[in-house]
Amino acid sequence: MSPATGSAAPAPVGIVLVSHSAALATAAADLARGLACGGGDLAPVLPAGGTPDGGLGTSSELICAAAKAVDRGAGVALLVDLGSAVLTVKALLAEGDELPAGSRLVDAPFVEGAVAALVTASAGGDLDAVAAAASEAYAYRKE
């Protein structure tokens, strides 16, 4: 409940980090959690990396399970690392019934986008704001 209004806080956007590598997806999720923690509640974020047997690749089953686990009704932002991860998520979105309603593929750099998405979602941003923040990470300069 919000102390000012007496109403429940809006549900957060969930975030899924899809990588060809379970280790990379897990590390990116851990890094985002570590950098986004500001004393408040963090939005749900889960990795969906590799194949069910631990190999390199992407798994629609792991992606769907993670998306369902982070879904709180406000949408799910899916950030991906490389080509076939993009294709797998696009195929799941095209099927229309595998991912939670409001799931969206976000075009963003994987690591910087994950951090920006989690910070924005944890601050109460809606799916549009989360996607915009993650996408804006393309403009981060490193020079």
Side-chain angles (χ1 to χ4, degrees):
M1 292 267 213
S2 168
T5 64
S7 62
V13 171
I15 300 165
V16 176
L17 304 179
V18 181
S19 173
H20 287 69
S21 163
L24 178 59
T26 299
D30 290 345
L31 178 64
R33 282 187 206 100
L35 294 176
C37 70
D41 291 333
L42 288 179
V45 57
L46 284 176
T51 60
D53 64 0
L56 292 176
T58 53
S59 163
S60 58
E61 294 83 14
L62 293 177
I63 295 166
C64 290
K68 289 173 184 171
V70 301
D71 181 32
R72 303 292 186 273
V76 176
L78 296 118
L79 284 80
V80 300
D81 64 355
L82 300 169
S84 67
V86 175
L87 296 175
T88 302
V89 171
K90 283 184 175 183
L92 288 168
L93 289 168
E95 290 173 18
D97 61 349
E98 296 293 318
L99 295 171
S103 293
R104 183 184 305 177
L105 173 62
V106 177
D107 182 16
F110 192 64
V111 174
E112 295 93 333
V115 173
L118 186 56
V119 168
T120 303
S122 297
D126 65 10
L127 185 57
D128 289 336
V130 169
S135 294
E136 287 169 7
Y138 275 127
Y140 295 172
R141 301 295 306 164
K142 297 177 184 176
E143 51 184 10

